[in-house]
Structure formats: structure tokens, C-alpha cells
Amino acid sequence: MTLSEPTPPAKTKCMLKGEEWNWTSWDSLDMNMGNVTLGEFMDHFEKEYNLEISMLSHGVSILYSFFANKQKVAERKAMKMTEVITSITKKEFPPNQLFIILEVIANGPNDEECDLPYIKFRFR
């Protein structure tokens, strides 16, 4: 039997809030905003992190993408985050669930793509 120490995970660099941030697969962006609308979420994300969301997903379901039908995007931006997800997935959230895991693709001020960890979004 051989014992060894685990190695730390690989780091990924991105510019966040105007500073270089090195994150690993152990990191997440924690957002505790309550059940806001998709539009409010996107506005907060842009103001807080100085990044523009180009795609937002939950599991295999795409909640927002820059290339989607403009009418559908406008409808979804007015809906609460939980309403958007349940309308797409056709599944209700259990009453004891507090968080939603979101994946995001975002662009920085110079239109360069920024790799980010998942978002742990607290909606209750």
C-alpha cells in the first residue's frame, strides 16, 4: 500500500472586478440575492463582476444565450429565476432546496471570454 498527499487542482486565470483571479475546480461564485428575475440577475452580475453574460445554463438547460430569439429572451428576463428554470425543465424545486447551480459563459470589457467556476445561487 502506498500513501501520498493529494495535489492541488489546476488553477484557471480570469479577470474579475478588474483584478486577476486564479480559481480552481473547488471554487464557486456565491450569489445570495433571493428569487430575482433573470434580468435583475444579469444586471447584478454585470455590475458586480464587470462581465457580460453570453450564456447561462442550469444542468443541460440553457436559460439565456445571446443568440436566442429576442422575444423569448425578453420574456425570460422578466421571469423569476425559479420560474425560468421550471418552465424549461418542467420540474418543480423541492421545498427544502435553497441553492441552484448555474454555469455561465461571460465576456470581459475587451470582449474576451472569461472562464468562470459555477455559480452557487441562493434563491430562498
Side-chain angles (χ1 to χ4, degrees):
M1 180 159 82
T2 304
L3 297 174
S4 65
E5 292 292 320
T7 59
K11 292 187 176 187
T12 303
K13 291 181 186 180
C14 81
M15 292 298 289
L16 198 64
K17 298 181 182 181
E19 297 178 14
E20 187 175 287
W21 182 44
N22 294 310
W23 60 273
T24 70
S25 58
W26 296 343
D27 293 314
S28 67
L29 293 176
D30 296 338
M31 298 178 78
N32 185 2
M33 302 173 60
N35 195 15
V36 296
T37 65
L38 177 60
E40 290 169 335
F41 176 87
M42 292 177 66
D43 291 343
H44 174 79
F45 190 88
E46 188 168 347
K47 288 175 191 163
E48 179 72 18
Y49 300 110
N50 198 27
L51 298 170
E52 183 180 353
I53 295 175
S54 57
M55 192 175 316
L56 182 68
S57 63
H58 170 70
V60 297
S61 303
I62 295 175
L63 309 179
Y64 168 81
S65 64
F66 70 95
F67 55 80
N69 178 309
K70 300 298 179 201
Q71 182 180 357
K72 187 173 278 192
V73 167
E75 289 172 11
R76 288 184 181 174
K77 279 187 170 184
M79 296 168 69
K80 300 280 186 190
M81 291 292 284
T82 54
E83 293 170 358
V84 174
I85 293 170
T86 55
S87 70
I88 295 169
T89 63
K90 309 293 188 237
K91 293 180 184 175
E92 295 294 324
F93 290 101
N96 61 342
Q97 183 173 346
L98 301 176
F99 297 94
I100 301 170
I101 301 300
L102 303 169
E103 296 288 337
V104 66
I105 298 174
N107 296 325
N110 299 330
D111 242 8
E112 77 281 353
E113 191 173 298
C114 182
D115 288 330
L116 294 170
Y118 70 88
I119 297 172
K120 185 177 172 186
F121 176 71
R122 183 171 182 142
F123 66 98
R124 289 187 179 144

